[in-house]
Every structure is written in C-alpha cells, then in structure tokens.
Amino acid sequence: MKVIVTKNYDEMSAKAFEIMLGVVKANPRAVLGLATGSTPIGLYRNMVRDHKENGTSYREIRTVNLDEYAGLPADHAQSYAHFMRENLFDMLDIRKENTNIENGMASDAASECARYNALLDGMQQDVQVLGIGSNGHIAFNEPGTPFGSVTHVVELTESTIRDNSRLFDRIEDVPRSAFTMGLKNIMQAKKILILANGANKADAVYGLVKGEVTEKVPASVLQLHNDCVLICDEAAAARL
Ligand code: F6R
C-alpha cells in the first residue's frame, strides 16, 4: 500500500483530487466508485471547482456508490443518494442515468442486492474512493464481514450509529440497517483511494496499514490489493 501523509484535510483533499483527475483524464468514460461521509467532501469540492474553472467533463463518466441506508427514499435529506447530488452530481455535467446507488426503498432486499451485484460485475471501478470508520469499517462492512462478501444488507453497529448520528437530528433517527457493497466488490477496483483524517481515525489507520489482515478489521483486506493508495493527515497517521 502506498501511504501519503499530508499536513491537514485540505492537503489530503488536494492530493486525492490529483489522483482522481488523472483517472478521469486518462479515460473520460471511467467508472468512479464513490463514497459519502465527511471525508471525501473536500475531494468533491476540488472536482466541482476544477469542472467550473477548467471544464473537465464528466459527461461520459459512470459512477457506483458504496452504500445506502435502508428505508430512506432517495430524496430524503440524509440519504446517500441525496448527499451525492448535493455534494457532487448536481454541480457536474454528469448524466444522472450514469450514476448508480442501491435503492434504499427496495421492497425486496435480496433482489436489490442481486441487481447491484450484477451491475458491479459489469462495471469494474477504475478507481474506488473510500473513507474508513473509526472501527475499521469500509463502506458499511462492519468488523467480522467476510472478505468474500458482495452487496448485502447489514445491521449497523452501535459505534457506526453513534458516529453517523451527528448528521441526524436525533440518534433514534439513524436507520439501523443499510445496503452496502461487499469487500469483494470493493477489491475488484483497479485502483483504491482510501482517505482518512483526524485523530479518531488513528487506530483504524494503524489496522489498515500495519495490523494483521483479519476480518476483525475490514479495511485490512486492502493490504492484499495491488494498487491501493492511502492519503491521510498527520493526526490520522499518528500511529504509523
Ligand atoms: C460512506 C461509507 C463509510 C464512511 C466511513 C467514514 O459511503 O461507506 O464507510 O466512509 O464511515 O465516514 P466519515 O467520512 O464521515 O468519517
């Protein structure tokens, strides 16, 4: 794994953007695997600024998102579909029909997972952007998720519900389950770009880079990927 340590969040985001821009320029029809959460917002801001200032086009770009809360409609303010529109898609020239995310309102969860897996089988990510949970999760793959997992529904752990409650009015409003790409779907990406910032990620980053490769720390599977880049700030890198 290549590790790049930056002074702060802005530098982390700028570095991530450099890599993302390289992928988009190399292939204007690239498949971008995207994440939500606080971590990639700076990357997305850089993409939007560059699109406005330099005209980089996303017209033929296709995207697949990692995960979506179960039970939230796409227009719900806390849904990940909404997050992606607000933070990225609405400000680019990307075609909405080229953006993909699990349907949180699917009435048949098993067939929704099958649909998403089939889609991913035909859409290898040129780059997959990831954040990391303080417990080492990637997407919503919580500790104990098999490395061979594909898209599935998960019950969220208390630690993830607590971490994510900051975006909801009340902790009771955080959905208890979600659809998520599995670790195998993530590992199929040609390139993985994992970002981490802040002291609360230091233990998870240690497990990602230096810990044992174990299903107890889902992110540790990335040690087995042949093109994985971690960009993290000094606080998140404190234990490396
Ligand atoms: C988001 C996702 C999550 C987050 C992780 C870190 O789509 O899959 O795994 O990347 O929970 O979240 P933040 O960036 O908010 O600290």
Side-chain angles (χ1 to χ4, degrees):
M1 182 174 323
K2 184 170 170 196
V3 179
I4 301 173
V5 180
T6 61
K7 281 246 158 299
N8 52 38
Y9 180 81
D10 286 347
E11 261 187 39
M12 176 195 81
S13 303
K15 269 270 161 222
F17 168 66
E18 257 174 49
I19 293 175
M20 175 60 80
L21 188 63
V23 171
V24 171
K25 291 278 188 206
N27 178 9
R29 300 181 55 82
V31 176
L32 310 182
L34 299 176
T36 61
S38 315
T39 312
I41 288 179
L43 161 65
Y44 298 158
R45 284 204 186 115
N46 277 285
M47 291 165 73
V48 168
R49 182 192 40 75
D50 165 71
H51 168 69
K52 291 213 171 93
E53 288 175 5
N54 305 318
T56 302
S57 177
Y58 292 77
R59 184 103 194 114
E60 304 300 329
I61 290 287
R62 293 166 297 151
T63 68
V64 284
N65 256 82
L66 290 172
D67 41 17
E68 179 61 285
Y69 286 119
L72 295 192
D75 60 1
H76 188 285
Q78 307 305 339
S79 77
Y80 287 171
H82 184 263
F83 175 100
M84 290 311 299
R85 288 196 303 275
E86 287 267 290
N87 287 288
L88 191 64
F89 298 153
D90 283 354
M91 277 89 77
L92 300 178
D93 60 344
I94 195 161
R95 289 188 284 189
K96 297 299 176 288
E97 62 271 28
N98 286 350
T99 67
N100 298 282
I101 189 163
E102 296 95 332
N103 173 11
M105 293 303 282
S107 54
D108 180 344
S111 58
E112 177 57 11
C113 292
R115 177 191 75 82
Y116 212 62
N117 283 321
L119 178 91
L120 292 169
D121 282 347
M123 279 181 81
Q124 184 188 22
Q125 306 93 312
D126 289 279
V127 65
Q128 176 65 59
V129 176
L130 298 174
I132 185 168
S134 58
N135 65 358
H137 75 216
I138 49 176
F140 273 129
N141 295 288
E142 301 284 15
T145 307
F147 286 167
S149 57
V150 292
T151 306
H152 59 289
V153 174
V154 285
E155 299 302 315
L156 305 185
T157 62
E158 283 307 317
S159 107
T160 297
I161 290 170
R162 216 178 317 113
D163 284 355
N164 290 7
S165 65
R166 67 188 191 282
L167 302 169
F168 288 80
D169 291 338
R170 303 172 318 155
I171 194 161
E172 299 78 49
D173 296 338
V174 184
R176 288 326 202 224
S177 60
F179 289 89
T180 183
M181 265 192 213
L183 295 168
K184 190 170 168 218
N185 303 124
I186 291 171
M187 287 293 281
Q188 79 172 11
K190 286 186 198 153
K191 182 178 198 70
I192 290 184
L193 182 54
I194 181 161
L195 311 178
N197 67 288
N200 64 323
K201 299 293 175 70
D203 288 344
V205 165
Y206 175 84
L208 159 67
V209 180
K210 294 214 165 141
E212 183 196 345
V213 177
T214 167
E215 290 178 353
K216 289 185 204 146
V217 183
S220 68
V221 73
L222 301 175
Q223 291 179 33
L224 307 177
H225 197 279
N226 64 11
D227 187 5
C228 178
V229 183
L230 162 67
I231 309 179
C232 63
D233 71 356
E234 285 173 356
R239 292 196 57 205
L240 295 184

